[in-house]
């Protein structure tokens, strides 16, 4: 069967391409070059797409997804990493590079990925840290990733092994069991308003509620984290949060109320507010 026929038969475009990439272990462009897919590939693709249409995220059906151009293991114990979160990683990379260039005297430079889920943020940052360390051996880095879900940490640990990432994982209710101060805290906390969960997207209902539910106004975790984050940040430290598209001004208020400065808001590729950086 041809790709166009498979797409027409299933009524799904992007999902079909992702399934084919997975089944054939092929790059996207190579999938487009296949003239005819074998009966067994067509059968398997249709089976997976049928499950997907019932509301099961594709990443759970395939067991993995791509984040920041790298492949990560994903199970129903973790949130499916979103491309929007890559904006946070880019900003974190800029902060790490800037600090490294001005000769940050803290060694190791400490990074905390709070609410780490599958571990994608912290693991992505280790690539840059290793690159910088290879070029300047006096620059050393420590990445700590924390989550309150033991099941999520199990997935994150597997992802760290897959990417050869040296990360210290901590089972912790926010900062409770996280020790020491950090130069950078990155955090994509649960921030969906309780009543909004699954409203726009049925697949979200299969993700762990604990990864999504940000309380009545979605801001519960920002309030809790900003109440104590200062104690966990070194001088010149920064916290970078992912936020909901309509939460920027509320975040600025919470930050100011807790005595933080230099709050800046950044947009995602869809031009919606997506990340805030906050300085001590
Ligand atoms: C939105 S997900 C983010 C996962 C991952 N960082 C990402 O960007 O794909 C939020 C994560 O926060 C974790 N979490 C929820 N409540 C927490 C708490 N009190 N302490 C630590 N982690 C918590 C959830 O288990 C979940 O993994």
């Amino acid at each position: 069967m041809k790709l166009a026929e498979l797409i027409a038969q299933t009524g799904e475009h992007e999902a079909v391409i992702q399934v084919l990439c997975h089944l054939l272990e092929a790059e996207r462009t190579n999938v487009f070059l296949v003239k005819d897919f074998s009966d067994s590939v067509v059968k398997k693709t249709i089976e997976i797409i049928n499950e997907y249409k019932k509301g099961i995220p594709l990443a759970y059906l395939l067991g993995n997804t791509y984040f920041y151009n790298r492949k990560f293991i994903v199970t129903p114990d973790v949130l499916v990493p979103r491309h929007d979160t890559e904006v946070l990683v880019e900003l974190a990379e800029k902060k790490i590079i800037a600090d490294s260039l001005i000769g940050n005297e803290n060694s190791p430079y400490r990074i905390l990925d709070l609410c780490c889920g599958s571990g994608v943020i912290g693991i992505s940052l280790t690539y840059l840290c290793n690159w910088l360390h290879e070029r300047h051996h006096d620059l050393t880095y420590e990445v700590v990733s924390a989550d309150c879900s033991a099941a999520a940490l199990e997935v994150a640990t597997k992802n760290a092994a897959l990417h050869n990432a040296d990360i210290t994982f901590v089972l912790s209710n926010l900062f409770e069991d996280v020790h020491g101060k950090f130069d950078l805290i990155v955090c994509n906390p649960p921030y969906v308003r309780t009543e909004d969960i699954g409203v726009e997207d049925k697949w979200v209902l299969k993700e762990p509620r604990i990864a999504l539910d940000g309380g009545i106004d979605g801001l519960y975790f920002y309030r809790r984290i900003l109440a104590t984050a200062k104690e966990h940040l070194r001088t010149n430290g920064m916290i970078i949060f992912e936020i909901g598209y309509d939460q920027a001004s509320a975040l600025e208020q919470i930050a100011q109320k807790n005595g933080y400065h230099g709050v800046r808001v950044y947009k995602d590729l869809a031009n919606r507010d997506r990340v805030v950086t906050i300085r001590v």
Side-chain angles (χ1 to χ4, degrees):
M1 187 181 277
K2 297 194 186 332
L3 179 60
E5 289 167 338
L6 198 43
I7 289 170
Q9 185 171 329
T10 56
E12 294 291 335
H13 185 176
E14 180 54 32
V16 165
I17 292 166
Q18 283 185 38
V19 173
L20 290 170
C21 287
H22 174 81
L23 293 177
L24 303 174
E25 294 179 31
E27 298 282 323
R28 260 182 104 78
T29 38
N30 291 337
V31 165
F32 290 103
L33 295 176
V34 177
K35 281 193 180 141
D36 267 302
F37 294 97
S38 68
D39 289 349
S40 65
V41 167
V42 169
K43 185 167 173 276
K44 189 74 197 150
T45 302
I46 290 171
E47 273 170 21
I48 295 174
I49 293 294
N50 284 342
E51 290 303 296
Y52 167 70
K53 282 175 159 176
K54 285 182 199 159
I56 301 172
L58 205 49
Y60 293 164
L61 293 164
L62 304 181
N64 62 63
T65 195
Y66 283 82
F67 179 81
Y68 221 49
N69 267 336
R70 298 186 182 103
K71 199 174 184 176
F72 288 88
I73 298 161
V74 174
T75 75
D77 288 322
V78 296
L79 183 96
V80 178
R82 310 292 204 267
H83 289 302
D84 288 337
T85 307
E86 294 175 356
V87 177
L88 183 159
V89 175
E90 278 174 21
L91 286 163
E93 287 185 339
K94 283 184 187 155
K95 161 80 175 152
I96 296 166
I97 291 170
D99 285 347
S100 303
L101 289 179
I102 59 165
N104 176 49
E105 70 269 25
N106 297 325
S107 190
Y109 184 94
R110 300 191 79 221
I111 301 163
L112 171 65
D113 177 6
L114 191 61
C115 299
C116 70
S118 58
V120 290
I121 301 174
I123 293 169
S124 299
L125 294 177
T126 62
Y127 279 91
L128 174 67
C129 295
N130 292 341
W131 187 87
L132 288 165
H133 176 67
E134 272 169 28
R135 272 142 198 89
H136 303 279
H137 288 283
D138 47 335
L139 295 176
T140 58
Y141 302 86
E142 182 189 353
V143 180
V144 176
S145 295
D147 203 287
C148 69
S149 158
L153 285 181
E154 230 173 86
V155 176
T157 304
K158 283 185 188 151
N159 276 321
L162 186 69
H163 291 274
N164 214 6
D166 184 8
I167 294 193
T168 306
F169 288 102
V170 184
L171 181 64
S172 178
N173 178 4
L174 296 183
F175 290 111
E176 259 173 42
D177 292 294
V178 174
H179 302 296
K181 293 191 178 229
F182 295 86
D183 298 279
L184 175 61
I185 298 174
V186 285
C187 180
N188 177 16
Y191 62 71
V192 184
R193 287 179 196 87
T194 308
E195 65 174 17
D196 289 348
I197 294 174
V199 168
E200 280 185 16
D201 174 344
K202 66 181 175 187
W203 291 274
V204 164
L205 293 170
K206 290 283 187 282
E207 294 184 279
R209 205 174 170 89
I210 196 180
L212 299 161
D213 195 344
I216 293 175
D217 60 1
L219 302 167
Y220 172 79
F221 285 92
Y222 301 112
R223 287 197 194 91
R224 272 190 67 191
I225 293 166
L226 286 175
T228 53
K230 240 188 270 173
E231 297 158 27
H232 303 274
L233 282 166
R234 285 172 168 163
T235 312
N236 296 324
M238 180 186 270
I239 178 156
I240 309 183
F241 279 123
E242 176 166 327
I243 57 164
Y245 71 93
D246 56 355
Q247 293 175 330
S249 62
L251 242 286
E252 281 177 277
Q253 280 174 24
I254 297 169
Q256 277 159 13
K257 198 172 147 206
N258 285 280
Y260 295 87
H261 308 283
V263 179
R264 295 187 68 176
V265 183
Y266 296 84
K267 293 189 183 293
D268 59 21
L269 287 175
N271 207 31
R272 302 197 302 185
D273 291 343
R274 184 58 61 199
V275 175
V276 293
T277 61
I278 301 172
R279 290 188 178 275
V280 188

